[in-house]
Amino acid sequence: YPRTDPAVIMLVEHIPADGGAPVCLMGSHRRLPTRVFSTLAGFVEPGESLEEAVTREVLEEVNVIVDDVRYEASQPWPFPSSIMLGFYARAVTTDIEVDDDELSSARWFTSEEIRAAGDWGDDSADIQLPRKDSIARHLINTWLERQP
């Protein structure tokens, strides 16, 4: 049987208890252009469930605790033998501590801020979103569709 190396990618949402507008967590990855903000991601460790991988990766990359991890979609990943499995997760904590080895920055975004962001390669935009054909963009766009 062919080998498959799963990776998880996740959009973390926080819904404020005071009834404020939901926000989502995105990071600027060191391997992407400077102004691109995307969802968080990482490989699944041996013996780990996909949900555990989501929880661990978010904690490792931004020190945010999540729960309510829900599968959304998948996409072949352009590395040999890989598949990207997309999830949503709910933030239990919101203070961010960025792992400098993984990310250059991370922050919470409102739906208005995301709607105002430019597309990948739009050099006039202060913030750019992932490529339109990526699962990261699918997660972001689907989250936006669910916002009031």
Side-chain angles (χ1 to χ4, degrees):
Y1 296 100
R3 177 180 156 179
T4 302
D5 297 326
V8 291
I9 186 164
M10 67 293 290
L11 185 101
V12 177
E13 176 183 50
H14 172 66
I15 302 172
D18 65 4
V23 290
C24 71
L25 178 62
M26 294 196 298
S28 182
H29 299 267
R30 294 206 173 279
R31 66 185 180 281
L32 296 177
T34 308
R35 293 180 279 172
V36 173
F37 278 80
S38 186
T39 54
L40 305 179
F43 281 102
V44 179
E45 298 287 335
E48 182 176 56
S49 74
L50 300 174
E51 295 82 1
E52 289 169 336
V54 168
T55 302
R56 177 186 50 75
E57 284 291 339
V58 174
L59 188 62
E60 286 178 2
E61 291 187 8
V62 292
N63 201 38
V64 170
I65 297 170
V66 299
D67 67 5
D68 193 24
V69 177
R70 303 169 314 280
Y71 173 80
E72 168 66 20
S74 64
Q75 176 183 36
W77 201 30
F79 293 102
S81 305
S82 295
I83 186 166
M84 188 70 79
L85 302 151
F87 291 85
Y88 289 102
R90 180 180 57 203
V92 175
T93 62
T94 56
D95 291 336
I96 298 169
E97 290 179 36
V98 173
D99 175 354
D100 294 332
D101 292 335
E102 298 273 344
L103 304 171
S104 56
S105 65
R107 58 173 277 224
W108 295 99
F109 287 87
T110 65
S111 58
E112 292 81 17
E113 290 173 314
I114 294 173
R115 286 185 177 105
D119 287 324
W120 179 283
D122 178 359
D123 292 332
S124 67
D126 289 334
I127 294 173
Q128 299 172 22
L129 298 177
R131 293 174 21 168
K132 290 182 180 182
D133 63 349
S134 68
I135 190 168
R137 188 65 174 266
H138 169 78
L139 292 170
I140 294 165
N141 287 345
T142 302
W143 182 81
L144 282 174
E145 290 170 7
R146 297 175 182 159
Q147 302 312 305

